[in-house]
Amino acid sequence: MGFVTYDDRRLCGQLHGKRFQVTYRLQGDLDSARALAEAVCREQTVEFPLEAIPPGIILDRVVGQLESLQPANDGGYLACISYAEEIAAGEFTQLLNVLFGNISIMPGIRVEAVELTPALLSMVRGPRFGTDGLRARLGISRRPPVFTALKPMGLSAHELADLAEAFVESGVDIIKDDHGLTDQVFAPFDERVRRCAEAVAEANIRTGRRAMYVPNITGPAEQMFERALRAKQWGAGGVMVAPGLTSLDAMRALAENDELALPVFSHPAFIGSYAVNPQGISFPVLFGTLMRMAGADAVIFPNYGGRFSLSREQCLGIAEAGRSPLGTLKTVFPSPAGGMQLENIGEIVSSYGPDVLVLIGGGLFTCGSDVRRNCKRFVTAVEQAYDVWERKNAAQKSAAEGA
Amino acid sequence: MGFVTYDDRRLCGQLHGKRFQVTYRLQGDLDSARALAEAVCREQTVEFPLEAIPPGIILDRVVGQLESLQPANDGGYLACISYAEEIAAGEFTQLLNVLFGNISIMPGIRVEAVELTPALLSMVRGPRFGTDGLRARLGISRRPPVFTALKPMGLSAHELADLAEAFVESGVDIIKDDHGLTDQVFAPFDERVRRCAEAVAEANIRTGRRAMYVPNITGPAEQMFERALRAKQWGAGGVMVAPGLTSLDAMRALAENDELALPVFSHPAFIGSYAVNPQGISFPVLFGTLMRMAGADAVIFPNYGGRFSLSREQCLGIAEAGRSPLGTLKTVFPSPAGGMQLENIGEIVSSYGPDVLVLIGGGLFTCGSDVRRNCKRFVTAVEQAYDVWERKNAAQKSAAEGA
């Protein structure tokens, strides 16, 4: 056995004892879950045979520690593992690496919950605007904002701008690019963003509204930030980015940049595999906690009952993780989407409450022959759903006060 | 029904008819596979109800086209879907988005193969050095290079540099940081990289060798490129990055940067979920084709028979995708790893051939009490395995010529 040697006292002075905790769901029976939990403790930290490390603080504190191992309600085991705060190095990328780096290649492991320390939470800024800040920018104090997308791919910048104008004039609050629009020859980034931002601005002036255009700035690493800045110059009210394509950390960097300082909308493209599979990261941790730490003011995700496969519980878990206390981080607007129709609006508002961006895209083109009229029905349906929610909420409040 | 309108002739002039193909494995019976394939065609392109698009070129060419649907050998169906080259916009991020963006959230879909057009392949540079270029830098013409890692986490920069020195003096060719080493207080990035690069350089001078130090530069988006440049200044021979944490496209940007111009080693941390799950992207496409397009000169992945779960076929598929013809892109060194021991070396060289980086990390500390001696055994075992491979290869050649 060859031994690695190190100065135990030096390292002891560098680790201050604060630990963060991650709960993993592990497949298998108790013995195999315990073996897997112990593998996680090693794999995510020293990645080294423990028997080759002399007794001391690396084994005691640097290696992950299995705090508890309990049967999960729906099969397998829940292992709570703690890690020394210092191994995350104050970096969001390295925190993700400790959570799920090497073990992303091991079957049977899923990140179910994280409990971070104040220091780790303060290493990111989180949403710059949050729910309240986005409401202030939109001038909407209580009801859910009404949200749609410019598509289909193949339209020219001019044709997309015409659509944007119709959306604003019909009462839509937020108009984003479809996430597939980047810099195609048929609607190049610069022309599209300039034209659409201009169309929204002009329609806002005509109608006295404060609708927001949110272009998709997902693109080559060398260009993305510049695209965002140009979009801002041209009058974009926010930017959309797909962190599955650009990395969560690139979204964080964008959101934290004081020169940009625009609301950030996250799109789920290319990141779904982590959450839809048995092995990976739970929907609430990925789309709630991690997207929030990565600075999303609004998180678009596939709603239950649409074209995708999430359960109601998973979706509400995302919304909850975006608004429950998390250090000093602001709250996030959930934006359930993916095949939503006018008839889903009541359910959306009643489930998520008023702090939700109600996003209908293609559905606005299949519910009647006049898109402007469909948009107006959309707006009315959101207002009505909000009224229903408010009456119910008031009734519950007065019942609670009377009790 | 509301109709979107567009100028068919304008778009017709913008699409030139070249298409690329993606083969998806779809779960389910024929009917559900067909429905899923049609959903993929829509979802990855227009994301819009087809009935709301007037007849014309968007339906004919922008929407993905199902070219074939055939039963797969091991269950489910293989759907070959073609997409217009122009929708990828000449961007690697958007190409990934078309391959697997929105459908990353749909169960039952796996990218099995891609066949790109020359224009799409030429939009990336790929490996700057490739197998031959890395060999030239190492001064190793034929045998597999010998590769190890600095760990465990918790050692100081000084302690890691001592290890690096021992590795070079014992004949190891490439010494990388463990992927968990970023900028921790116990071994800060700048100090670690400076000390380790210096230790390797000095040991090279003493021994007349050309060993290469490859620091892990994975880190915050704002800092990563600067870290890489500083590492180069201090004498690093390459850089390692985990594209699961930083994005494949950030690795591409790094690899394509002419100011950096160092070999790039990719690490699989945080990207495994795509490949280990039934839904996702196959190992050869992800770790072979996409990592190669993203500029990796060497791709580290978990070998079969180690701590992870890949099959021999999956691993050899990665190596094959890294060296088979792909536009004008250079070939990639596969680096199978993850719990390899001295006794695995024969199998590794016989399976992958000599163009492989043989990576043993912690295993060098469990096969005898003297790490330097273990390293020498490692080097000898690689040389012997290469001799065996060469003799076998020569025998096969002469048998083939005699036949």
Side-chain angles (χ1 to χ4, degrees), chain A residues 122-186:
Chain A
S122 71
M123 80 192 182
V124 294
R125 174 180 185 134
R128 180 182 289 266
F129 298 91
T131 318
D132 293 342
L134 200 56
R135 281 191 175 285
R137 293 205 142 210
L138 291 163
I140 301 169
S141 57
R142 307 187 63 177
R143 69 163 171 84
V146 176
F147 189 11
T148 192
L150 298 172
K151 45 184 170 178
M153 182 184 279
L155 300 195
S156 68
H158 194 81
E159 289 156 353
L160 292 165
D162 285 348
L163 265 185
E165 179 185 43
F167 288 144
V168 178
E169 291 181 350
S170 317
V172 176
D173 300 305
I174 310 173
I175 296 127
K176 74 171 184 74
D177 285 341
D178 198 21
H179 79 285
L181 300 178
T182 62
D183 191 29
Q184 285 91 354
V185 62
F186 40 83

Side-chain angles (χ1 to χ4, degrees), chain B residues 17 25 29 34 129 137 158 160-161 168 202 214 284 340 373:
Chain B
R25 177 182 303 262
D29 60 18
R34 182 175 298 280
F129 298 91
R137 292 205 144 210
H158 194 82
L160 292 165
V168 179
E202 287 173 3
V214 179
M340 292 298 101
R373 227 178 96 211

Side-chain angles (χ1 to χ4, degrees), chain A residues 2 7 10 43 47 87 91 101 104 151 159 178 184 221-222 227 249 252 270 272-274 279 307 368, chain B residues 2 7 10 43 47 87 91 101 104 151 159 178 184 221-222 227 249 252 270 272-274 279 307 368:
Chain A
D7 179 348
R10 181 262 313 157
E43 199 68 56
E47 213 195 326
I87 71 172
E91 299 171 345
S104 76
K151 45 184 170 178
E159 289 156 353
D178 198 21
Q184 285 91 354
E222 304 93 332
R227 283 192 189 175
D249 195 63
R252 176 203 55 73
F270 210 80
S273 293
Y274 289 105
Q279 189 268 15
R307 294 196 308 272
Chain B
D7 179 349
R10 182 260 315 156
E43 199 67 55
E47 212 195 328
I87 70 172
E91 299 170 344
S104 75
K151 46 181 163 178
E159 290 156 352
D178 198 21
Q184 285 91 356
E222 305 93 331
R227 284 191 190 175
D249 194 63
R252 176 203 56 72
F270 210 81
S273 293
Y274 290 104
Q279 189 268 15
R307 295 196 307 271

Side-chain angles (χ1 to χ4, degrees), chain B residues 232-280:
Chain B
K232 180 180 182 175
Q233 241 173 25
W234 293 324
V239 293
M240 181 173 77
V241 58
L245 295 166
T246 66
S247 87
L248 282 161
D249 194 63
M251 184 166 81
R252 176 203 56 72
L254 200 78
E256 291 184 358
N257 186 282
D258 290 328
E259 191 182 353
L260 182 62
L262 276 187
V264 171
F265 290 63
S266 73
H267 190 279
F270 210 81
I271 210 166
S273 293
Y274 290 104
V276 297
N277 282 299
Q279 189 268 15

Side-chain angles (χ1 to χ4, degrees), chain A residues 304 312 344-354 385 388-389 392:
Chain A
Y304 60 95
R312 183 171 190 273
N344 300 117
I345 293 172
E347 165 79 10
I348 289 172
V349 177
S350 118
S351 291
Y352 292 93
V388 170
W389 180 88
K392 201 170 139 193

Side-chain angles (χ1 to χ4, degrees), chain A residues 4-17 46 53-63 84 86-87, chain B residues 152-157 159-160 181 184-188:
Chain A
V4 68
T5 55
Y6 70 99
D7 179 348
D8 198 66
R9 284 185 56 194
R10 181 262 313 157
L11 185 57
C12 197
Q14 289 169 331
L15 299 178
H16 296 110
V46 292
I53 303 176
I57 195 167
I58 290 186
L59 287 177
D60 293 346
R61 308 246 292 266
V62 174
V63 174
E86 289 84 358
I87 71 172
Chain B
M153 182 184 278
L155 300 195
S156 67
E159 290 156 352
L160 292 165
L181 299 178
Q184 285 91 356
V185 62
F186 40 83

